[in-house]
Amino acid sequence: TDETAASLANVERLQAKHSWLAQQRTGEGAATATGPQRLQQAASGGRLRGHIGSLMDLIETDPQHEAAISAVRGSNVRASVVSDLPTVEAALELLEQHGGRVTMLPLANLRPLPAPPVPGDSGFIGWAIELVQCASEHRPAIAVFLGQAAVCDNRASARRIAANLLSPGALSVTLSGEIHRSDGAMFVGRTAADYDLAMAREARELPGKIKSATAVTAELEKELSTRALALDQLQAQRQTALAHLENVREKERVAADT
């Protein structure tokens, strides 16, 4: 039926999107791979022990905070979190052979700054580090980029808060992704990297969507099969009834001729 065909097409679309997202993140099948992708490929092949993953794969946040969090992390959204310095050395050897550049975050050596005092401004939503979910052992790596960023609900509050931030590297960011620094510098607009968090979220959600869509398709196919079987049975009963009717009529003709 049209409904079954549409459901099957939806499953195929979701599967194709999942494959595309996986390729975008790992670089598999691409003519050239970025530094983070090379490390991911090496880790997947067992050639880079101690590689934990990229930042975007280690955190989750509510969709309304994705633009702000992505803006703060910028190109570092693909920074590689590793266990220690020996893993960094191994990664360096790999990159020297194949090319690429990566921001490395060795957990054993990180010393993120504590969060600054909470701003007394009604437009303050929270520190970026507080608006993400991640494993506790990965939080130091996340804090390196998000621990000093104040997320604000509008541009005016972001400017006010930025002007009063005294910690080195502290900044404020709006929900739309505008960054304001205490020295007055601003960063506006969006790049492709700003959508990496949304892509990572979609990649996490797609397997569940594929499973649900596949179940719906299977149920529709089962119902279609049941209906087809019932139709076959009805047709068989009709043929039996027609044969019986023809037999009765034949007997009536024979009786009429005698």
Side-chain angles (χ1 to χ4, degrees):
T1 65
D2 291 343
E3 187 178 10
T4 302
S7 182
L8 182 59
N10 184 47
V11 171
E12 294 174 346
R13 179 184 64 81
L14 291 173
Q15 290 174 333
K17 192 169 190 178
H18 187 257
S19 297
W20 180 82
L21 284 173
Q23 180 178 333
Q24 291 300 305
R25 295 165 69 196
T26 64
E28 293 291 347
T32 59
T34 64
Q37 289 173 339
R38 292 191 188 283
L39 297 191
Q40 182 63 51
Q41 292 171 10
S44 298
R47 303 188 306 277
L48 187 62
R49 295 181 180 179
H51 181 273
I52 297 171
S54 67
L55 277 179
M56 71 175 182
D57 293 325
L58 299 179
I59 71 171
E60 296 182 30
T61 188
D62 294 336
Q64 64 265 33
H65 298 144
E66 285 178 349
I69 301 301
S70 295
V72 173
R73 289 172 23 169
S75 60
N76 292 313
V77 70
R78 294 180 180 272
S80 293
V81 180
V82 297
S83 57
D84 48 32
L85 287 178
T87 305
V88 174
E89 295 294 332
L92 285 172
E93 291 182 8
L94 188 148
L95 294 175
E96 287 175 354
Q97 293 175 11
H98 304 286
R101 185 178 181 85
V102 186
T103 298
M104 305 289 290
L105 297 170
L107 287 174
N109 301 84
L110 297 178
R111 297 182 297 277
L113 296 173
V118 175
D121 191 296
S122 60
F124 176 72
I125 295 174
W127 297 109
I129 187 66
E130 299 170 350
L131 301 178
V132 300
Q133 298 82 47
C134 66
S136 59
E137 61 268 25
H138 301 154
R139 192 158 288 274
I142 311 304
V144 168
F145 296 113
L146 302 184
Q148 304 289 308
V151 180
C152 310
D153 62 8
N154 56 64
R155 182 179 301 160
S157 61
R159 286 176 176 170
R160 290 194 303 269
I161 290 173
N164 292 287
L165 291 174
L166 303 178
S167 300
L171 54 84
S172 63
V173 60
T174 66
L175 288 175
S176 63
E178 291 182 11
I179 292 179
H180 298 259
R181 296 193 332 194
S182 58
D183 59 9
M186 296 174 54
F187 301 87
V188 298
R190 304 194 72 176
T191 67
D194 292 333
Y195 299 94
D196 281 344
L197 270 185
M199 288 176 60
R201 171 171 52 82
E202 192 168 14
R204 289 192 299 269
E205 294 173 350
L206 273 174
K209 291 182 178 180
I210 292 173
K211 183 178 180 180
S212 297
T214 301
V216 169
T217 302
E219 189 62 30
L220 288 171
E221 290 178 338
K222 180 180 179 181
E223 182 180 351
L224 184 62
S225 177
T226 300
R227 289 182 180 181
L229 179 60
L231 180 60
D232 289 342
Q233 292 175 341
L234 287 173
Q235 289 177 337
Q237 291 173 3
R238 179 175 179 274
Q239 291 300 322
T240 300
L242 289 174
H244 177 70
L245 178 60
E246 182 62 28
N247 186 49
V248 170
R249 287 175 177 174
E250 180 62 25
K251 288 181 179 179
E252 289 177 346
R253 286 195 294 269
V254 172
D257 292 340
T258 57

